[in-house]
């Protein structure tokens, strides 16, 4: 879709990367680290200062005290944290539960690990977890459940009640939880809750996160996995043969980033809420059915008022005839039919870009 956007000169509200840069204080720290000669291989599981910063941030966010040496593994983005977790902790034939729609690397890396994927579909308008279906799907044969909250692509945040139910089912059935929390600082409607912070869950949880979304530095690919030592062992075994180590100077800069004052995160949320308001109201004015987004920088809409047969046809029409890019959500489902009526827009763009995209759609997109 991004390649089509370039070809047709379309405004890209598809792929989730900001069109503005990260903060100067973090970029300057990277430049300084390079000048200071921090340019050779980093320690495999992370530069000590960065591991310490991750542990300190996790304590501030969750109240949990962790060992930065034994329970933190630095990875090349959260995507590598996901891969290392799947490859290091899932054996061929292991059963893993996914909630659809899902970030596409989940299924890919589970396939590499030889997992047996069981999928539970979250459905609009609120994308709530179908608890009865989960209870009938989870069993003593389940190795792990994968959760993403705040959730890409829907913007859903798992509620306290949902997380507690999932936690009790995992404890009852001795199931691991892999939780992708890259959008934890982009939680708008409710407070983010880390699964690892719930009673009895730290010992069975791998918490994955990254720098890119929070600091608008998606190209740096700095991520991490937090887990108790017996799970960290598996993650590190895989990590050592996937990338071995992550960019050294960027880890020093990431250390500075994670030590940012609370005001940085408050301002980040405030900026994104303003962007979200522009896009959501604009999409409603255009005529989409817009579903609630509690977190992330994504919003999902129903495109069917405009008369195209499915999400891919709609997105191609939107690019070529209207000049705006969205992402077809069928790519986020095991069964593409489940996503054929939905498309995803992102608001991680400057306000002028968002307004221009809305104006193009108001002008050229007509209900059928």
């Amino acid at each position: 879709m991004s390649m089509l956007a370039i070809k047709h000169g379309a405004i890209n509200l598809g792929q989730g990367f900001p069109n503005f840069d990260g903060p100067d204080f973090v970029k300057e720290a990277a430049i300084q680290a390079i000048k200071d000669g921090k340019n050779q291989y980093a320690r495999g599981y992370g530069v000590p200062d960065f591991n310490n910063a991750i542990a300190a941030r996790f304590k501030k966010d969750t109240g949990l005290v962790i060992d930065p040496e034994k329970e933190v593994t630095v990875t090349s983005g959260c995507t590598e944290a996901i891969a290392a977790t799947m490859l290091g902790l899932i054996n061929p034939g292991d059963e893993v539960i996914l909630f659809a729609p899902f970030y596409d690397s989940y299924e890919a890396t589970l396939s590499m690990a030889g997992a047996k994927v069981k999928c539970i579909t979250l459905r609009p308008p609120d994308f709530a977890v179908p608890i009865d279906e989960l209870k009938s799907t989870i069993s003593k044969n389940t190795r792990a459940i994968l959760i993403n909250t705040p959730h890409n692509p829907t913007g859903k945040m798992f509620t306290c009640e949902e997380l507690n139910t999932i936690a009790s089912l995992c404890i009852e059935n001795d199931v691991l939880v892999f939780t992708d929390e890259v959008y934890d600082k982009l939680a708008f409607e409710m407070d983010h809750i880390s699964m690892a912070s719930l009673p009895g869950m730290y010992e069975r949880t791998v918490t994955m996160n990254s720098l890119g979304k929070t600091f608008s530095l998606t190209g740096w690919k700095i991520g991490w996995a937090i887990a108790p030592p017996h799970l960290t062992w598996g993650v590190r075994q895989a990590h050592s043969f996937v990338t071995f180590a992550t960019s050294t100077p960027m880890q020093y800069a990431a250390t500075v980033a994670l030590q940012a004052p609370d005001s940085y995160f408050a301002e980040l949320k405030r900026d994104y809420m303003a962007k979200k308001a522009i896009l959501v109201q604009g999409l409603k004015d255009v005529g989409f059915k817009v579903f609630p987004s509690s977190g992330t920088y994504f919003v999902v809409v129903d495109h069917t008022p405009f008369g195209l047969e499915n999400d891919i046809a709609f997105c191609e029409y939107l690019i070529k005839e209207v000049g705006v890019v969205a992402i077809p959500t069928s790519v986020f489902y095991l069964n593409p039919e489940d996503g054929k009526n939905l498309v995803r827009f992102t608001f991680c763009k400057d306000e002028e870009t968002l307004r221009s995209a809305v104006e193009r759609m108001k002008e050229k997109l007509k209900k059928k």
Side-chain angles (χ1 to χ4, degrees), residues 101-116:
F102 48 75
Y103 178 52
D104 49 11
S105 86
Y106 300 163
E107 184 195 357
T109 50
L110 284 169
S111 176
M112 291 178 205
K116 179 182 177 183

Side-chain angles (χ1 to χ4, degrees), residues 166-197:
I166 294 168
S168 65
L169 289 170
C170 287
I171 291 168
E172 181 185 330
N173 292 282
D174 193 22
V175 173
L176 301 177
V177 178
F178 305 148
T179 175
D180 172 353
E181 302 184 5
V182 296
Y183 298 100
D184 63 337
K185 295 294 183 288
L186 298 177
F188 306 121
E189 311 297 333
M190 60 183 81
D191 290 336
H192 170 75
I193 301 168
S194 282
M195 179 62 91
S197 68

Side-chain angles (χ1 to χ4, degrees), residues 54-134:
I54 293 166
R57 170 58 57 184
F58 197 60
K59 182 184 178 186
K60 190 166 190 174
D61 290 342
T62 67
L64 295 169
V65 176
I66 59 169
D67 186 335
E69 292 296 299
K70 296 178 180 176
E71 298 178 298
V72 176
T73 306
V74 175
T75 58
S76 297
C78 189
T79 302
E80 196 229 324
I82 293 162
T85 299
M86 307 304 178
L87 295 171
L89 295 172
I90 298 299
N91 292 314
D94 279 353
E95 194 176 285
V96 178
I97 294 174
L98 277 185
F99 293 104
F102 48 75
Y103 178 52
D104 49 11
S105 86
Y106 300 163
E107 184 195 357
T109 50
L110 284 169
S111 176
M112 291 178 205
K116 179 182 177 183
V117 174
K118 291 209 164 182
C119 210
I120 294 174
T121 301
L122 308 178
R123 301 187 187 279
D126 57 0
F127 300 97
V129 175
I131 297 298
D132 289 343
E133 186 181 348
L134 177 61

Side-chain angles (χ1 to χ4, degrees), residues 250-295:
M250 299 317 189
Q251 288 192 57
Y252 283 98
T255 303
V256 173
L258 290 194
Q259 293 166 346
D262 291 344
S263 59
Y264 171 82
F265 300 101
E267 187 177 339
L268 178 81
K269 188 184 289 192
R270 194 163 56 245
D271 285 352
Y272 268 119
M273 287 183 78
K275 296 176 194 298
K276 177 187 170 187
I278 292 168
L279 182 61
V280 167
Q281 189 57 53
L283 291 170
K284 287 178 179 175
D285 291 344
V286 170
F288 289 101
K289 183 176 181 183
V290 182
F291 297 112
S293 171
S294 301

Side-chain angles (χ1 to χ4, degrees), residues 5 80 105 109 121 134 162 224 236 248 264 297 303 344 346:
E80 196 229 324
S105 86
T109 50
T121 301
L134 177 61
E162 287 173 333
W224 55 89
R236 289 183 180 179
T248 302
Y264 171 82
Y297 42 51
H303 67 80
R344 186 194 78 182
T346 184

Side-chain angles (χ1 to χ4, degrees), residues 3 22 24 26-27 32 40 56 75 112 129 158 192 200 207 237 264 276 295 303-304 307 336:
M3 287 166 66
D24 287 342
V26 184
K27 293 186 290 184
Q32 193 58 51
Q40 305 310 321
T75 58
M112 291 178 205
V129 175
F158 282 67
H192 170 75
T207 305
Q237 293 301 305
Y264 171 82
K276 177 187 170 187
H303 67 80
T304 55

